[in-house]
Amino acid sequence: MVSQEAYPDIRLEREVHTLIRHGYKVTFVGKLRDRRGLVFGKKYENFKCIEVHIPSLVYSLLEPWLSRSVRRIKGILKRLRPDVVLAINPIAGIIVDRIGVPMAIDNREYFYHKVKYNPLFGIEGMALLRRFRYMMGTIRRRWIYRVRLIEVKLAERHPMIFPSPEAKQDFCCRFDINDSGVFVLKNYPSITEIRDIKTIKVRKNVSFIYVRIDLPSQPPSRNLNTTVNVLCSLANKYKVEVLVAGINYDVACFHGIGWLSLNELYEMLASVDYGLVSWDPHYIHWYFSPVKAYQYAVSGCVPVITD
């Protein structure tokens, strides 16, 4: 796996964890911003990391930084001799494409829909400076990805992966791409990863967890109002507790447990019954697959997800 951005994020952890659980040998080449979590910072015989810092100017495909990065990654891949390289996002795809090795691209961030989703004002409650940076970043990505058609050129030469069927369909229709080389990888675990979960056991004291800092204020795309109303009603009759990671307030049956490290978070997830991804419907959900579902499931916490 090759990335030009600092990782890991949950999607990358999901891909690494799934591959190593299925017996594949995996090497991550890129910059690590954190060595904690599901796989990073732990010892696996078939997984290792090679830290490489790729300058941010490569994101704009500027020379000589792009050529330098290509030469550096080429040297590493020459030593590793991988059967196939998974490029994390199209910019890493450009680098690996120039090297000329077998590759697939994980187009996890379909930037057109980030631009479409209110780029001027960003997410509700976002500070003015962050809104401006958000806007400039999405405009830059739209120029790089859309005007220069990088995704299209890569998809014509290499398999490309999207996080949802709708994102795949939109991409293929928008650019008249044959979908035979375009695939979908949702953020859900494989059967091998959750085979130890035989049955769902419900206790008298039922516990839920929600990992997010957007309660009580919520952006439209992550609206939990219906879920909150249902759980509060249940709490009037049954022993229901909802833990919220990332905040420090208590309201009704909702109890904030503050900020947790990744390792602490996975330990907490293993101790509760259900994880909430039950947002009210929003059009942007069509183009993404929630990584929380994966976090919950591989920790032994049953995810509750809206269709």
Side-chain angles (χ1 to χ4, degrees), residues 23-276:
Y24 292 97
K25 186 176 180 180
V26 180
T27 302
F28 173 77
V29 179
K31 184 174 177 59
L32 293 178
R33 63 186 175 198
D34 199 340
R35 283 188 173 273
R36 298 169 294 176
L38 193 61
V39 291
F40 291 87
K42 297 181 180 179
K43 292 183 179 180
Y44 291 92
E45 291 184 0
N46 55 338
F47 175 63
K48 66 178 181 179
C49 297
I50 300 176
E51 282 213 56
V52 177
H53 174 65
I54 298 176
S56 58
L57 291 171
V58 172
Y59 220 133
S60 299
L61 304 181
L62 296 177
E63 297 290 0
W65 297 275
L66 178 58
S67 296
R68 289 173 183 171
S69 298
V70 170
R71 289 195 296 269
R72 191 173 185 184
I73 298 299
K74 183 178 181 179
I76 294 172
L77 295 182
K78 187 176 181 180
R79 295 195 303 271
L80 293 175
R81 301 176 65 184
D83 295 313
V84 65
V85 175
L86 178 62
I88 308 301
N89 285 330
I91 298 299
I94 287 291
I95 294 174
V96 179
D97 179 66
R98 293 192 177 190
I99 297 172
V101 297
M103 173 184 67
I105 303 107
D106 182 15
N107 198 356
R108 59 180 62 205
E109 296 172 326
Y110 193 42
F111 284 117
Y112 174 82
H113 295 287
K114 280 195 171 184
V115 175
K116 185 177 178 182
Y117 183 51
N118 202 2
L120 182 59
F121 299 104
I123 296 173
E124 210 172 288
M126 185 182 289
L128 184 60
L129 180 58
R130 289 191 62 200
R131 290 181 184 181
F132 179 74
R133 291 179 60 189
Y134 182 88
M135 178 187 69
M136 295 307 295
T138 51
I139 289 175
R140 178 185 65 171
R141 286 171 173 83
R142 182 169 188 175
W143 182 83
I144 293 172
Y145 283 61
R146 303 297 158 185
V147 177
R148 300 188 66 174
L149 299 177
I150 285 176
E151 290 167 308
V152 177
K153 294 174 183 176
L154 289 172
E156 290 173 346
R157 296 198 290 267
H158 307 281
M160 184 169 283
I161 302 168
F162 286 86
S164 75
E166 291 76 17
K168 168 189 170 180
Q169 182 181 6
D170 185 272
F171 177 76
C172 293
C173 293
R174 188 174 298 277
F175 298 106
D176 194 25
I177 296 289
N178 189 320
D179 66 357
S180 61
V182 183
F183 304 91
V184 174
L185 178 65
K186 291 187 175 182
N187 291 317
Y188 299 137
S190 66
I191 294 176
T192 299
E193 293 173 276
I194 56 172
R195 60 188 171 193
D196 296 331
I197 303 178
K198 303 296 183 182
T199 57
I200 299 175
K201 298 179 180 179
V202 180
R203 302 174 298 177
K204 290 184 178 179
N205 299 340
V206 181
S207 59
F208 295 82
I209 192 167
Y210 181 61
V211 182
R212 189 69 185 176
I213 60 173
D214 50 22
L215 283 177
S217 61
Q218 305 166 66
S221 62
R222 299 182 185 274
N223 189 335
L224 268 184
N225 284 340
T226 302
T227 298
V228 169
N229 292 333
V230 170
L231 291 175
C232 287
S233 297
L234 289 173
N236 293 328
K237 300 179 181 179
Y238 307 99
K239 293 182 178 179
V240 175
E241 180 183 41
V242 185
L243 304 177
V244 185
I247 61 173
N248 287 299
Y249 81 94
D250 293 340
V251 177
C253 60
F254 288 78
H255 305 295
I257 55 177
W259 185 261
L260 302 176
S261 69
L262 283 173
N263 289 336
E264 292 171 336
L265 176 61
Y266 281 113
E267 290 176 6
M268 179 61 70
L269 292 177
S271 67
V272 299
D273 300 311
Y274 300 100
L276 300 174

